[in-house]
Structures are given as C-alpha cells and as structure tokens.
Amino acid sequence: MKRRALLSTVAGSALGLTGGCLSDTDAPTETPTDPQTTTATTDAPSESDTPDSESDPGVGLSVVNEDDEPHALSVRVADDDETRVDRSLDVGAGPGYGRNVANDLVDDGRYRVVAELESGATLDYEWTVTNETRRLELVVTSDAGLEPRRLVTPALDDADLPYSVPGAADIFSPPTAGIRNRSDADARLTVAIEHDGTRFFEHTFDAATDREISTPALVESHGTYEVFVEADDGRTASHEWHIPETWAWPMLAVLVAADGSLRVGCAWPETASVRVANEAETEREVTLTLVRPNDADAGGDDAGVGTGSGGAVVSETAQTVPPGESNVSVDVPIGDEYELAVETPAGSETVDYPACYCWSTDVTVTVGGTSAGASNGGDDGPSVESFQYVCE
C-alpha cells in the first residue's frame, strides 16, 4: 500500500562543513490525522555547505575526511621563495567531515603541497592556482590514503545563465551542477539541459580525476528539466531534473563513479539508514528495495534492473533484524526521486523516497506486530512511517 504525503513544519539546523542538511527528528508541530508520510522543513545549509555558493575570491586549502576514523594531518604549502603554510591539525571522523586549513594563501602560480597522516600516508602535489582553480581539498580516502582534489569554477561566459522559464516561480537558491570523477581515468563530459524541448545549455568539461567542477547557477525557475550527459567514449546518462516549488535548495550532480559508470541526479551517492523496530520476541526478515519509478528517467549506467511493475530496482538489502531497534542500510547510487519498498513474509508497503540534496526522506519501519486478524503466524505486515525534509 502507498501513502500520500502530508505537510507539517519542524525546527531544524544546518551542518557546516560536514555536508548535507541536518533534519530535526522531533515530532512535527502540526500532526496529521494519519501521519504515515509527512513533509517537514529545516533551516537552509550554511554558506560553506551550499552547492551554489560563489567561490571565495581568495585562495583556500581545506581537508575532507571520507574515512570513518579520525586522523591527524600535517600540511605544508611552499613556493620557491617561502613556506606559506606549515601546520598540524586534527580531522574528525567522516565520511563527510571537513574543515578549512587556510584562506587567502597565495597568488596565481605553482606551489608544492606536502601532506602526511599519522598513519604514514603522504601526498606531494604540485598545485597550479589560476582564476578558475583557486581552492584545493586534501581528501582522506576511505582506506586512510591522501588525494588532492582541485575545486574548479569555470566562468561559462558562452552560456546565457541562469535560464528562466516565463511565468514560473523563482528558485530561492538557483542551483549549480557539481561534476566529479571518482574513476582512475580522466574523462571529457558534455552536459546538455533542455526545457520543453528547448536546449538552452550545452558545455564540455574536462573531468580529470583530481578535480571537482562547480558551475555557475544553471536555472532560476522551478520546473522540470531534461539533463543529458555524454562521455567522450560514448557512455551516456540522462536525468529528469524535477524542481518543485517546495525544493528551495536544488542541485545537479554529475558523477563518473569509481567503477567508471556515468550517473546524474539530484545528490551525490550515499548509504542511507532505515530504522527498524521489531516488536516480536524473535528475529524477523526485512527486505528494503530502492526503486526508480517507471515514470522517472532510467538512462545511464545506474539505471537498474526492471521490475514487473515497470520500475527499476537500483539497490536491494535483505537483513535479519533482532528484537528491538536496529538500522538497515540502503545504498543510494545517485540522488533521485525513488520509491522504497519494504517487504516481510507477512506483507509489504511502499513509500515515496526522494533522496536529493536538501530534500531527503527519513523512514521508520515497524515489524513483528500482531492483531486479531493477522495472518502468517500472527504477524501484521510492516508499518512504514516516512518523513520528507526540505531546507528552507
């Protein structure tokens, strides 16, 4: 069975450099009569966390930890004449933890960046600073290595941006596109965007493995856009970029994944967590299936496997949960407007599951409950409560 979304509002907060919107999971101030699916709002992300904030005019160095352990980092930035930075700092556990090392470091030119972790991993990197590459991230990888990531902000003077749709409502924070290459090979990606059949943007980007590209704002009107991405070797992906008026902080994510697959969506990949409450005294089997509906885009290497209902399965997790509360992980390969199917031997339920930047879903599943009319050994089917959060 599928529930429609109802609307309520809660207080919220934002998560500085650690990435993503935090959602306040306290009860909403206005409780729907049947609160199976609720939409709530949180505070907008801070400037350092927004995908569309303009680049600092100075030159900056930061560190991001994609490992789940904390680390100690030492870093030195120098040119031929002098040392510009020489410091040590603690980096909190990730993934996603980040902090600034220094701002307003240097002028345009070439600099040597030497960094080392307490684990012994080292990095010796030549950083070329230009008008478009004024920031550098030192990335602590999930296996406790060190990698450089240049943050590139191309001007795109050849495009008339942001695109406006006559008569449509303006977006509070016009979205940019982020382009990442997590594979081991550089790529050239052509990104095109259309609205009602009119192609208003097309640009080719050099997606090197040591850089992340952030475009200027692309659109300023709520609506639905078609996004097409093609690599120079023929790989393609597409996405129906739906920006409803309730989504004030949209973004577009273009990714070459570690396995080389090309993906495009409304947020970067993540491992989401679903809370499961087992009210029985014995273990229960739960299967969570993330499905891209049949009316959504299905282009690209992450399109998934078709289902009998026409949707495409993009990930599936089956787990035996003990009595009490536990968490089940759901792999989200790229942000999109999904559905989440929850299945037990006693039944199933499906809820809408948007997994976008500043438009996300929190789900709690209850299993093992019993009622007088229950079948299958006395168990009811799963009960699913979902809350959608948007930043405002």
Side-chain angles (χ1 to χ4, degrees):
M1 122 186 200
K2 186 172 177 180
R3 310 280 186 172
R4 291 185 177 272
L6 302 174
L7 179 64
S8 67
T9 303
V10 297
S13 61
L15 180 65
L17 278 172
T18 56
C21 287
L22 281 183
S23 301
D24 188 339
T25 56
D26 292 340
T29 57
E30 178 183 345
T31 304
T33 304
D34 183 15
Q36 295 295 318
T37 301
T38 306
T39 302
T41 58
T42 73
D43 287 346
S46 65
E47 182 179 354
S48 61
D49 189 41
T50 62
D52 60 329
S53 58
E54 294 182 1
S55 301
D56 189 314
V59 177
L61 180 67
S62 59
V63 58
V64 175
N65 190 3
E66 296 181 351
D67 191 15
D68 57 8
E69 296 290 336
H71 291 279
L73 174 74
S74 62
V75 58
R76 182 170 60 89
V77 180
D79 58 18
D80 292 337
D81 300 323
E82 63 177 305
T83 296
R84 303 300 186 103
V85 173
D86 190 353
R87 63 175 298 193
S88 298
L89 63 154
D90 294 324
V91 183
Y97 178 90
R99 62 178 296 183
N100 283 326
V101 177
N103 286 316
D104 298 321
L105 288 177
V106 293
D107 300 318
D108 291 3
R110 293 186 177 183
Y111 301 87
R112 184 182 181 189
V113 180
V114 179
E116 184 174 3
L117 293 176
E118 87 293 341
S119 61
T122 60
L123 173 70
D124 193 336
Y125 180 71
E126 184 180 86
W127 179 20
T128 301
V129 177
T130 68
N131 188 50
E132 292 187 351
T133 58
R134 307 190 68 79
R135 303 194 69 84
L136 177 69
E137 284 183 344
L138 303 178
V139 181
V140 182
T141 62
S142 58
D143 58 355
L146 274 173
E147 294 180 353
R149 182 184 298 161
R150 289 182 293 159
L151 304 183
V152 181
T153 53
L156 301 186
D157 294 331
D158 57 333
D160 186 13
L161 300 174
Y163 182 78
S164 177
V165 178
D170 288 343
I171 301 171
F172 177 76
S173 178
T176 67
I179 301 172
R180 294 178 177 177
N181 187 348
R182 296 295 183 261
S183 71
D184 57 4
D186 295 344
R188 285 176 58 83
L189 303 179
T190 299
V191 180
I193 307 176
E194 297 181 357
H195 180 266
D196 284 347
T198 299
R199 178 163 296 193
F200 61 88
F201 176 76
E202 183 171 337
H203 191 85
T204 300
F205 299 89
D206 289 320
T209 58
D210 67 342
R211 68 176 59 182
E212 178 173 328
I213 300 169
S214 180
T215 72
L218 297 173
V219 300
E220 62 181 4
S221 303
H222 288 281
T224 299
Y225 303 88
E226 298 294 333
V227 182
F228 306 93
V229 181
E230 183 173 2
D232 53 359
D233 61 1
R235 288 172 293 170
T236 62
S238 62
H239 175 62
E240 185 180 90
W241 192 19
H242 176 51
I243 308 177
E245 293 189 16
T246 53
W247 190 17
W249 296 84
M251 75 162 292
L252 182 67
V254 178
L255 175 69
V256 182
D259 62 1
S261 61
L262 188 59
R263 308 173 188 178
V264 57
C266 57
W268 302 116
E270 66 169 336
T271 300
S273 182
V274 171
R275 290 185 297 276
V276 178
N278 181 2
E279 296 181 345
E281 297 181 354
T282 57
E283 296 177 333
R284 290 294 187 270
E285 297 291 331
V286 177
T287 299
L288 304 180
T289 305
L290 194 66
V291 177
R292 180 178 286 113
N294 57 2
D295 58 346
D297 61 287
D301 304 314
D302 65 317
V305 179
T307 66
S309 62
V313 174
V314 297
S315 71
E316 186 173 85
T317 303
Q319 186 168 316
T320 301
V321 296
E325 295 187 356
S326 56
N327 291 294
V328 178
S329 296
V330 177
D331 181 34
V332 182
I334 195 72
D336 209 335
E337 296 179 56
Y338 295 106
E339 292 178 350
L340 182 68
V342 180
E343 185 177 3
T344 70
S348 64
E349 186 170 338
T350 298
V351 295
D352 292 334
Y353 193 86
C356 297
Y357 178 85
C358 270
W359 179 21
S360 58
T361 311
D362 183 82
V363 172
T364 299
V365 177
T366 302
V367 300
T370 59
S371 62
S375 59
N376 211 327
D379 270 9
D380 294 323
S383 173
V384 183
E385 290 185 347
S386 67
F387 295 81
Q388 293 181 21
Y389 294 94
V390 293
C391 301
E392 68 172 5

